[in-house]
Amino acid sequence: MNHDTAPAEGPSARPLRPPAAITTAAAARQYVREFVGERWRSAVGPPAEQSMIDLILVVSELVTNAVRHGGGVAAFDVALTPEGVRLNVRDHSAAVPVCLHGLGVPPRAHEGNGYGWPLINRLSSEVDVERRAAGGKTISVLVPLARPLAPDASPLSPGRAGT
C-alpha cells in the first residue's frame, strides 16, 4: 500500500458525483482526468502517464459498454484509493458482460467489437459486477495508478534489468 499516493485528506477524499450527468465516454474521460488531476496527492508528482492512459481507456470502455449494451449510464462514481482509482458505472440492463474470448483475451479475428470487456479485465486489478434489485447493474473496477519513475530509475538506467 502506497500511502504517499493516497487520496487527499478531508472532503476531497470522499467519492463525489460528477457535477452533471455523465452520458458519454468523452464526458466521463474529461471528468476522470480532472478528478485525478485535482485530487491525486503524491510527493513525486502526478501518476505515471501509462497508468493514466490505462485509466482513461477503462473509463471509455465502461461508459461505451453502458451506452451500447446497457441502455445508457444510470450513475457514474469515481473515488481515489491508496491503490488507484475506483470506478462505478451503473446502467439499466441486468445482462452481465460475457467473456466470449476468455478473461482479458481479445477476439482472435477482427470482429468489429468484443475488445472492451477483455481490456477492462486486463487493465483493472479488481472487477465486480453487481445486479441491482431495482434493475440494471453496477460494474465496479479498481484501476491501479503507478507513481512516475524517478529520473534515475528509468528502464534504460545502468544496472537495471533488461539493459
Side-chain angles (χ1 to χ4, degrees):
M1 185 178 305
N2 270 335
H3 292 287
D4 62 336
T5 57
E9 296 299 321
S12 64
R14 294 191 312 257
L16 299 175
R17 291 200 184 275
I22 297 292
T23 59
T24 67
R29 288 189 302 264
Q30 179 179 351
Y31 178 74
V32 169
R33 276 189 199 104
E34 291 172 2
F35 184 92
V36 172
E38 291 173 5
R39 300 182 191 310
W40 177 264
R41 302 292 183 260
S42 173
V44 296
E49 182 179 0
Q50 186 60 50
S51 290
M52 284 302 296
I53 291 169
D54 291 349
L55 172 63
I56 296 306
L57 181 56
V58 170
V59 167
S60 190
E61 292 298 335
L62 283 171
V63 173
T64 297
N65 285 352
V67 170
R68 290 181 81 193
H69 308 292
V73 177
F76 182 87
D77 295 308
V78 182
L80 288 177
T81 73
E83 294 81 21
V85 176
R86 169 77 55 195
L87 302 167
N88 296 298
V89 178
R90 184 166 48 107
D91 66 28
H92 300 283
S93 171
V96 175
V98 187
C99 296
L100 296 175
H101 312 285
L103 192 62
V105 177
R108 287 185 269 277
H110 181 68
E111 299 170 4
N113 60 29
Y115 291 89
W117 189 243
L119 282 171
I120 291 165
N121 281 279
R122 182 173 283 183
L123 298 175
S124 303
S125 61
E126 297 175 15
V127 177
D128 183 54
V129 180
E130 178 184 345
R131 285 191 172 127
R132 304 187 54 83
K137 67 182 164 300
T138 299
I139 298 180
S140 178
V141 301
L142 178 62
V143 181
L145 287 184
R147 297 181 304 185
L149 290 173
D152 62 338
S154 115
L156 301 177
S157 294
R160 297 213 21 124
T163 58

PDB file of all heavy atoms in Angstrom, residues 69-99:
ATOM      1  N   HIS A  69     -24.722  -1.309 -24.690  1.00  0.00           N
ATOM      2  CA  HIS A  69     -25.322  -2.589 -24.303  1.00  0.00           C
ATOM      3  C   HIS A  69     -26.209  -2.512 -23.065  1.00  0.00           C
ATOM      4  O   HIS A  69     -26.908  -3.472 -22.769  1.00  0.00           O
ATOM      5  CB  HIS A  69     -24.226  -3.625 -24.041  1.00  0.00           C
ATOM      6  CG  HIS A  69     -23.245  -3.764 -25.152  1.00  0.00           C
ATOM      7  ND1 HIS A  69     -23.568  -4.279 -26.385  1.00  0.00           N
ATOM      8  CD2 HIS A  69     -21.929  -3.429 -25.226  1.00  0.00           C
ATOM      9  CE1 HIS A  69     -22.499  -4.268 -27.170  1.00  0.00           C
ATOM     10  NE2 HIS A  69     -21.499  -3.750 -26.487  1.00  0.00           N
ATOM     11  N   GLY A  70     -26.158  -1.401 -22.328  1.00  0.00           N
ATOM     12  CA  GLY A  70     -26.863  -1.323 -21.053  1.00  0.00           C
ATOM     13  C   GLY A  70     -27.967  -0.291 -20.971  1.00  0.00           C
ATOM     14  O   GLY A  70     -28.438   0.015 -19.879  1.00  0.00           O
ATOM     15  N   GLY A  71     -28.358   0.267 -22.104  1.00  0.00           N
ATOM     16  CA  GLY A  71     -29.445   1.233 -22.079  1.00  0.00           C
ATOM     17  C   GLY A  71     -29.058   2.607 -21.562  1.00  0.00           C
ATOM     18  O   GLY A  71     -29.908   3.414 -21.233  1.00  0.00           O
ATOM     19  N   GLY A  72     -27.764   2.874 -21.468  1.00  0.00           N
ATOM     20  CA  GLY A  72     -27.288   4.185 -21.021  1.00  0.00           C
ATOM     21  C   GLY A  72     -26.702   4.141 -19.621  1.00  0.00           C
ATOM     22  O   GLY A  72     -26.853   3.158 -18.894  1.00  0.00           O
ATOM     23  N   VAL A  73     -26.021   5.211 -19.259  1.00  0.00           N
ATOM     24  CA  VAL A  73     -25.389   5.324 -17.946  1.00  0.00           C
ATOM     25  C   VAL A  73     -26.430   5.834 -16.951  1.00  0.00           C
ATOM     26  O   VAL A  73     -27.004   6.905 -17.133  1.00  0.00           O
ATOM     27  CB  VAL A  73     -24.178   6.284 -17.990  1.00  0.00           C
ATOM     28  CG1 VAL A  73     -23.566   6.454 -16.607  1.00  0.00           C
ATOM     29  CG2 VAL A  73     -23.141   5.788 -18.987  1.00  0.00           C
ATOM     30  N   ALA A  74     -26.668   5.062 -15.889  1.00  0.00           N
ATOM     31  CA  ALA A  74     -27.611   5.459 -14.844  1.00  0.00           C
ATOM     32  C   ALA A  74     -26.888   6.187 -13.711  1.00  0.00           C
ATOM     33  O   ALA A  74     -27.475   7.044 -13.053  1.00  0.00           O
ATOM     34  CB  ALA A  74     -28.341   4.241 -14.302  1.00  0.00           C
ATOM     35  N   ALA A  75     -25.628   5.845 -13.472  1.00  0.00           N
ATOM     36  CA  ALA A  75     -24.827   6.505 -12.435  1.00  0.00           C
ATOM     37  C   ALA A  75     -23.356   6.286 -12.743  1.00  0.00           C
ATOM     38  O   ALA A  75     -22.982   5.261 -13.324  1.00  0.00           O
ATOM     39  CB  ALA A  75     -25.162   5.963 -11.050  1.00  0.00           C
ATOM     40  N   PHE A  76     -22.542   7.246 -12.336  1.00  0.00           N
ATOM     41  CA  PHE A  76     -21.104   7.189 -12.580  1.00  0.00           C
ATOM     42  C   PHE A  76     -20.409   7.796 -11.363  1.00  0.00           C
ATOM     43  O   PHE A  76     -20.649   8.952 -11.036  1.00  0.00           O
ATOM     44  CB  PHE A  76     -20.777   7.987 -13.844  1.00  0.00           C
ATOM     45  CG  PHE A  76     -19.317   7.973 -14.228  1.00  0.00           C
ATOM     46  CD1 PHE A  76     -18.809   6.951 -15.011  1.00  0.00           C
ATOM     47  CD2 PHE A  76     -18.467   8.982 -13.797  1.00  0.00           C
ATOM     48  CE1 PHE A  76     -17.482   6.937 -15.374  1.00  0.00           C
ATOM     49  CE2 PHE A  76     -17.129   8.973 -14.153  1.00  0.00           C
ATOM     50  CZ  PHE A  76     -16.634   7.946 -14.939  1.00  0.00           C
ATOM     51  N   ASP A  77     -19.604   6.988 -10.676  1.00  0.00           N
ATOM     52  CA  ASP A  77     -18.896   7.454  -9.484  1.00  0.00           C
ATOM     53  C   ASP A  77     -17.412   7.162  -9.612  1.00  0.00           C
ATOM     54  O   ASP A  77     -17.020   6.144 -10.192  1.00  0.00           O
ATOM     55  CB  ASP A  77     -19.421   6.756  -8.224  1.00  0.00           C
ATOM     56  CG  ASP A  77     -20.860   7.107  -7.941  1.00  0.00           C
ATOM     57  OD1 ASP A  77     -21.194   8.303  -7.894  1.00  0.00           O
ATOM     58  OD2 ASP A  77     -21.658   6.168  -7.757  1.00  0.00           O
ATOM     59  N   VAL A  78     -16.595   8.054  -9.051  1.00  0.00           N
ATOM     60  CA  VAL A  78     -15.144   7.925  -9.073  1.00  0.00           C
ATOM     61  C   VAL A  78     -14.631   8.211  -7.672  1.00  0.00           C
ATOM     62  O   VAL A  78     -15.097   9.134  -7.008  1.00  0.00           O
ATOM     63  CB  VAL A  78     -14.508   8.951 -10.046  1.00  0.00           C
ATOM     64  CG1 VAL A  78     -13.004   8.777 -10.101  1.00  0.00           C
ATOM     65  CG2 VAL A  78     -15.107   8.848 -11.419  1.00  0.00           C
ATOM     66  N   ALA A  79     -13.654   7.412  -7.211  1.00  0.00           N
ATOM     67  CA  ALA A  79     -13.010   7.664  -5.928  1.00  0.00           C
ATOM     68  C   ALA A  79     -11.546   7.254  -6.017  1.00  0.00           C
ATOM     69  O   ALA A  79     -11.205   6.280  -6.695  1.00  0.00           O
ATOM     70  CB  ALA A  79     -13.701   6.885  -4.811  1.00  0.00           C
ATOM     71  N   LEU A  80     -10.696   8.016  -5.341  1.00  0.00           N
ATOM     72  CA  LEU A  80      -9.288   7.630  -5.232  1.00  0.00           C
ATOM     73  C   LEU A  80      -9.130   6.701  -4.051  1.00  0.00           C
ATOM     74  O   LEU A  80      -9.777   6.880  -3.016  1.00  0.00           O
ATOM     75  CB  LEU A  80      -8.402   8.863  -5.025  1.00  0.00           C
ATOM     76  CG  LEU A  80      -8.225   9.779  -6.224  1.00  0.00           C
ATOM     77  CD1 LEU A  80      -7.386  10.988  -5.832  1.00  0.00           C
ATOM     78  CD2 LEU A  80      -7.568   9.055  -7.375  1.00  0.00           C
ATOM     79  N   THR A  81      -8.267   5.716  -4.203  1.00  0.00           N
ATOM     80  CA  THR A  81      -7.889   4.823  -3.114  1.00  0.00           C
ATOM     81  C   THR A  81      -6.362   4.837  -3.055  1.00  0.00           C
ATOM     82  O   THR A  81      -5.717   5.325  -3.988  1.00  0.00           O
ATOM     83  CB  THR A  81      -8.369   3.376  -3.368  1.00  0.00           C
ATOM     84  OG1 THR A  81      -7.564   2.790  -4.392  1.00  0.00           O
ATOM     85  CG2 THR A  81      -9.843   3.330  -3.766  1.00  0.00           C
ATOM     86  N   PRO A  82      -5.774   4.287  -2.015  1.00  0.00           N
ATOM     87  CA  PRO A  82      -4.311   4.215  -1.989  1.00  0.00           C
ATOM     88  C   PRO A  82      -3.732   3.400  -3.156  1.00  0.00           C
ATOM     89  O   PRO A  82      -2.600   3.611  -3.554  1.00  0.00           O
ATOM     90  CB  PRO A  82      -4.014   3.537  -0.654  1.00  0.00           C
ATOM     91  CG  PRO A  82      -5.186   3.889   0.200  1.00  0.00           C
ATOM     92  CD  PRO A  82      -6.371   3.891  -0.744  1.00  0.00           C
ATOM     93  N   GLU A  83      -4.527   2.496  -3.747  1.00  0.00           N
ATOM     94  CA  GLU A  83      -4.049   1.651  -4.838  1.00  0.00           C
ATOM     95  C   GLU A  83      -4.305   2.239  -6.218  1.00  0.00           C
ATOM     96  O   GLU A  83      -3.707   1.814  -7.191  1.00  0.00           O
ATOM     97  CB  GLU A  83      -4.690   0.262  -4.760  1.00  0.00           C
ATOM     98  CG  GLU A  83      -4.285  -0.531  -3.540  1.00  0.00           C
ATOM     99  CD  GLU A  83      -5.062  -0.134  -2.291  1.00  0.00           C
ATOM    100  OE1 GLU A  83      -6.164   0.457  -2.418  1.00  0.00           O
ATOM    101  OE2 GLU A  83      -4.564  -0.389  -1.190  1.00  0.00           O
ATOM    102  N   GLY A  84      -5.241   3.180  -6.327  1.00  0.00           N
ATOM    103  CA  GLY A  84      -5.569   3.719  -7.640  1.00  0.00           C
ATOM    104  C   GLY A  84      -6.906   4.410  -7.657  1.00  0.00           C
ATOM    105  O   GLY A  84      -7.262   5.125  -6.731  1.00  0.00           O
ATOM    106  N   VAL A  85      -7.687   4.143  -8.704  1.00  0.00           N
ATOM    107  CA  VAL A  85      -8.977   4.802  -8.895  1.00  0.00           C
ATOM    108  C   VAL A  85     -10.066   3.742  -8.948  1.00  0.00           C
ATOM    109  O   VAL A  85      -9.988   2.786  -9.715  1.00  0.00           O
ATOM    110  CB  VAL A  85      -8.987   5.635 -10.191  1.00  0.00           C
ATOM    111  CG1 VAL A  85     -10.364   6.234 -10.445  1.00  0.00           C
ATOM    112  CG2 VAL A  85      -7.938   6.741 -10.124  1.00  0.00           C
ATOM    113  N   ARG A  86     -11.091   3.932  -8.118  1.00  0.00           N
ATOM    114  CA  ARG A  86     -12.265   3.065  -8.113  1.00  0.00           C
ATOM    115  C   ARG A  86     -13.321   3.731  -8.991  1.00  0.00           C
ATOM    116  O   ARG A  86     -13.662   4.890  -8.791  1.00  0.00           O
ATOM    117  CB  ARG A  86     -12.786   2.906  -6.690  1.00  0.00           C
ATOM    118  CG  ARG A  86     -14.131   2.255  -6.546  1.00  0.00           C
ATOM    119  CD  ARG A  86     -14.158   0.781  -6.706  1.00  0.00           C
ATOM    120  NE  ARG A  86     -13.234   0.101  -5.820  1.00  0.00           N
ATOM    121  CZ  ARG A  86     -12.881  -1.153  -5.993  1.00  0.00           C
ATOM    122  NH1 ARG A  86     -13.366  -1.858  -6.999  1.00  0.00           N
ATOM    123  NH2 ARG A  86     -12.026  -1.729  -5.176  1.00  0.00           N
ATOM    124  N   LEU A  87     -13.810   2.998  -9.974  1.00  0.00           N
ATOM    125  CA  LEU A  87     -14.871   3.470 -10.862  1.00  0.00           C
ATOM    126  C   LEU A  87     -16.103   2.600 -10.654  1.00  0.00           C
ATOM    127  O   LEU A  87     -15.982   1.374 -10.567  1.00  0.00           O
ATOM    128  CB  LEU A  87     -14.453   3.357 -12.327  1.00  0.00           C
ATOM    129  CG  LEU A  87     -13.196   4.089 -12.761  1.00  0.00           C
ATOM    130  CD1 LEU A  87     -12.758   3.603 -14.135  1.00  0.00           C
ATOM    131  CD2 LEU A  87     -13.452   5.584 -12.775  1.00  0.00           C
ATOM    132  N   ASN A  88     -17.259   3.224 -10.579  1.00  0.00           N
ATOM    133  CA  ASN A  88     -18.527   2.511 -10.514  1.00  0.00           C
ATOM    134  C   ASN A  88     -19.409   3.053 -11.616  1.00  0.00           C
ATOM    135  O   ASN A  88     -19.709   4.252 -11.643  1.00  0.00           O
ATOM    136  CB  ASN A  88     -19.217   2.729  -9.161  1.00  0.00           C
ATOM    137  CG  ASN A  88     -18.414   2.151  -8.022  1.00  0.00           C
ATOM    138  OD1 ASN A  88     -18.186   0.959  -7.956  1.00  0.00           O
ATOM    139  ND2 ASN A  88     -17.961   3.014  -7.127  1.00  0.00           N
ATOM    140  N   VAL A  89     -19.814   2.182 -12.535  1.00  0.00           N
ATOM    141  CA  VAL A  89     -20.688   2.577 -13.631  1.00  0.00           C
ATOM    142  C   VAL A  89     -21.941   1.715 -13.540  1.00  0.00           C
ATOM    143  O   VAL A  89     -21.865   0.487 -13.598  1.00  0.00           O
ATOM    144  CB  VAL A  89     -20.007   2.405 -15.004  1.00  0.00           C
ATOM    145  CG1 VAL A  89     -20.960   2.785 -16.127  1.00  0.00           C
ATOM    146  CG2 VAL A  89     -18.737   3.246 -15.071  1.00  0.00           C
ATOM    147  N   ARG A  90     -23.088   2.394 -13.376  1.00  0.00           N
ATOM    148  CA  ARG A  90     -24.360   1.687 -13.305  1.00  0.00           C
ATOM    149  C   ARG A  90     -25.116   1.944 -14.600  1.00  0.00           C
ATOM    150  O   ARG A  90     -25.122   3.055 -15.121  1.00  0.00           O
ATOM    151  CB  ARG A  90     -25.185   2.177 -12.114  1.00  0.00           C
ATOM    152  CG  ARG A  90     -26.470   1.398 -11.935  1.00  0.00           C
ATOM    153  CD  ARG A  90     -27.123   1.624 -10.583  1.00  0.00           C
ATOM    154  NE  ARG A  90     -27.225   3.001 -10.195  1.00  0.00           N
ATOM    155  CZ  ARG A  90     -28.352   3.709 -10.172  1.00  0.00           C
ATOM    156  NH1 ARG A  90     -29.489   3.160 -10.528  1.00  0.00           N
ATOM    157  NH2 ARG A  90     -28.344   4.962  -9.791  1.00  0.00           N
ATOM    158  N   ASP A  91     -25.736   0.874 -15.130  1.00  0.00           N
ATOM    159  CA  ASP A  91     -26.546   1.023 -16.336  1.00  0.00           C
ATOM    160  C   ASP A  91     -27.929   0.451 -16.082  1.00  0.00           C
ATOM    161  O   ASP A  91     -28.257   0.082 -14.953  1.00  0.00           O
ATOM    162  CB  ASP A  91     -25.847   0.418 -17.556  1.00  0.00           C
ATOM    163  CG  ASP A  91     -25.681  -1.091 -17.492  1.00  0.00           C
ATOM    164  OD1 ASP A  91     -26.500  -1.776 -16.834  1.00  0.00           O
ATOM    165  OD2 ASP A  91     -24.735  -1.600 -18.117  1.00  0.00           O
ATOM    166  N   HIS A  92     -28.748   0.377 -17.121  1.00  0.00           N
ATOM    167  CA  HIS A  92     -30.149  -0.013 -16.988  1.00  0.00           C
ATOM    168  C   HIS A  92     -30.407  -1.474 -17.325  1.00  0.00           C
ATOM    169  O   HIS A  92     -31.553  -1.922 -17.254  1.00  0.00           O
ATOM    170  CB  HIS A  92     -31.014   0.875 -17.886  1.00  0.00           C
ATOM    171  CG  HIS A  92     -30.905   2.328 -17.543  1.00  0.00           C
ATOM    172  ND1 HIS A  92     -31.537   2.889 -16.465  1.00  0.00           N
ATOM    173  CD2 HIS A  92     -30.193   3.330 -18.123  1.00  0.00           C
ATOM    174  CE1 HIS A  92     -31.248   4.176 -16.399  1.00  0.00           C
ATOM    175  NE2 HIS A  92     -30.432   4.467 -17.396  1.00  0.00           N
ATOM    176  N   SER A  93     -29.399  -2.230 -17.700  1.00  0.00           N
ATOM    177  CA  SER A  93     -29.577  -3.624 -18.110  1.00  0.00           C
ATOM    178  C   SER A  93     -29.041  -4.571 -17.038  1.00  0.00           C
ATOM    179  O   SER A  93     -27.954  -4.365 -16.508  1.00  0.00           O
ATOM    180  CB  SER A  93     -28.834  -3.886 -19.421  1.00  0.00           C
ATOM    181  OG  SER A  93     -28.830  -5.266 -19.713  1.00  0.00           O
ATOM    182  N   ALA A  94     -29.789  -5.619 -16.763  1.00  0.00           N
ATOM    183  CA  ALA A  94     -29.326  -6.631 -15.813  1.00  0.00           C
ATOM    184  C   ALA A  94     -28.401  -7.649 -16.472  1.00  0.00           C
ATOM    185  O   ALA A  94     -27.804  -8.481 -15.789  1.00  0.00           O
ATOM    186  CB  ALA A  94     -30.525  -7.347 -15.190  1.00  0.00           C
ATOM    187  N   ALA A  95     -28.246  -7.574 -17.792  1.00  0.00           N
ATOM    188  CA  ALA A  95     -27.381  -8.525 -18.504  1.00  0.00           C
ATOM    189  C   ALA A  95     -25.930  -8.305 -18.081  1.00  0.00           C
ATOM    190  O   ALA A  95     -25.426  -7.191 -18.093  1.00  0.00           O
ATOM    191  CB  ALA A  95     -27.517  -8.344 -20.002  1.00  0.00           C
ATOM    192  N   VAL A  96     -25.291  -9.399 -17.697  1.00  0.00           N
ATOM    193  CA  VAL A  96     -23.907  -9.353 -17.234  1.00  0.00           C
ATOM    194  C   VAL A  96     -22.974  -9.565 -18.425  1.00  0.00           C
ATOM    195  O   VAL A  96     -23.243 -10.423 -19.275  1.00  0.00           O
ATOM    196  CB  VAL A  96     -23.679 -10.442 -16.159  1.00  0.00           C
ATOM    197  CG1 VAL A  96     -22.233 -10.520 -15.742  1.00  0.00           C
ATOM    198  CG2 VAL A  96     -24.575 -10.173 -14.955  1.00  0.00           C
ATOM    199  N   PRO A  97     -21.881  -8.786 -18.510  1.00  0.00           N
ATOM    200  CA  PRO A  97     -20.938  -8.990 -19.618  1.00  0.00           C
ATOM    201  C   PRO A  97     -20.420 -10.427 -19.645  1.00  0.00           C
ATOM    202  O   PRO A  97     -20.234 -11.057 -18.612  1.00  0.00           O
ATOM    203  CB  PRO A  97     -19.797  -8.029 -19.307  1.00  0.00           C
ATOM    204  CG  PRO A  97     -20.365  -7.043 -18.361  1.00  0.00           C
ATOM    205  CD  PRO A  97     -21.437  -7.746 -17.598  1.00  0.00           C
ATOM    206  N   VAL A  98     -20.215 -10.917 -20.838  1.00  0.00           N
ATOM    207  CA  VAL A  98     -19.744 -12.286 -21.030  1.00  0.00           C
ATOM    208  C   VAL A  98     -18.333 -12.247 -21.590  1.00  0.00           C
ATOM    209  O   VAL A  98     -18.012 -11.429 -22.448  1.00  0.00           O
ATOM    210  CB  VAL A  98     -20.658 -13.037 -22.031  1.00  0.00           C
ATOM    211  CG1 VAL A  98     -20.277 -14.501 -22.119  1.00  0.00           C
ATOM    212  CG2 VAL A  98     -22.115 -12.888 -21.655  1.00  0.00           C
ATOM    213  N   CYS A  99     -17.499 -13.141 -21.106  1.00  0.00           N
ATOM    214  CA  CYS A  99     -16.140 -13.277 -21.638  1.00  0.00           C
ATOM    215  C   CYS A  99     -16.177 -14.259 -22.796  1.00  0.00           C
ATOM    216  O   CYS A  99     -15.922 -15.448 -22.627  1.00  0.00           O
ATOM    217  CB  CYS A  99     -15.188 -13.753 -20.543  1.00  0.00           C
ATOM    218  SG  CYS A  99     -15.002 -12.583 -19.208  1.00  0.00           S
TER     219      CYS A  99
END
